[in-house]
Amino acid sequence: AALFVERSVALAAPGGVVALLVPAKLWRSLAGGGVRALLSGSTHLLRVEDWSDAPCAFDAAVYPSVVIVGRGGDARDDATISVRRRTFDLEWTTSHASIRFDHEDAASPWLLLPPEVRRAFERIRERGQPLSESTLGRPTLGVKCGCNDAFVVETLSLEMERAAVVHQGRHGTIERAMLRPLLRGEAVTPWQTRPTASAILWTHDARGSPLASLPSQAARWLAPWRSRLSARSDLRSSRSWWSLFRIEGADVDAARVVWSDFGRMPRAAVLPAGDPTVPLNSCYVLPCSDPTDALALTALLNSAIAAAWLNAIAEPARGGWHRYLAWTVSLLPIPLDWTRARSILAPLAERAMLGMVPSEQELISAVCRSYRLEHADVAPLLAWNHRP
């Protein structure tokens, strides 16, 4: 789609107009930065229509939008923004720069939010700092196999030194010490992770380096996939063919906040320090050296306020869901007085993990206090996120 936009703009005559039906992801994803910069530098924006949450008009799962731009001629700074959803259409006029997440960056993602909703979005932003710039740091993707069929198994039984496993009808035994519990994104629920018999064949040592050699049963299990594993694009010539990738999220030295990569809202839980569970790459992970940080961040991510803020910038997914990628969650504002926020949020998460889950309103109230905001300050953003 980016190539069609670029070519269409190049072909348009001075004073001409280009109108295209393109994926809405171009306006939100990092990959669309080049297109956004091109339109900002070479055209003036006339109209954008976001149909990604409208009733489906296509057989395929697509997230359509309309963009109309002019080449030179009667240049203007204001553009018409239209959002279609299942139950309403809304339209307003604003400047091109004002729809950017960062007004000064032409490549910045676009936020197609009505003015009062955008003001609520900015109030939260002004009372915090991006997660990636805070003391908590930047999240990472979960562990990547490059071939789940080789490494992921279901555990049938455990003996002293070995485990009986199965995968897609193939049965075998693997050294018990070579297996670690596995966590997929769909098994992450707010506050908890669902129990599972899934395990991953862990082929790295305590320092994170690939094992120099595999034990006999693990080697026998992986042997049928050796050619495929050796051909993985992430594999470097100096690494063993049984290597796993992006293994930082599997480090057990600190508590880890984990969340699913997509959903209607973030679903976050805590893996305590020492928990051997390995989040797969359908999860994102943020290690926290202080377990109180992990609890407080989990409470924030599970709140309706964080969901509304993130859904405004997150890439759309099927069925009204969103992608909670590392770069997206990295932008989430963490309350400026984090020490105070921790004292408000962490106890809620601690109670929730014991089964005493706070109500949505209790969590909203706590998050508002953490940002030193009133409910009325964020109400337009919450209402926008809940409108069907």
Side-chain angles (χ1 to χ4, degrees), residues 278-294:
V278 176
L280 208 57
N281 62 340
S282 53
C283 302
Y284 285 88
V285 186
L286 183 68
C288 297
S289 55
D290 187 333
T292 306
D293 285 334

Side-chain angles (χ1 to χ4, degrees), residues 60-84:
V62 294
Y63 314 99
S65 72
V66 171
V67 62
I68 304 175
V69 297
R71 286 295 307 272
D74 183 21
R76 46 191 271 197
D77 186 46
D78 60 320
T80 299
I81 312 299
S82 174
V83 174
R84 294 186 181 183

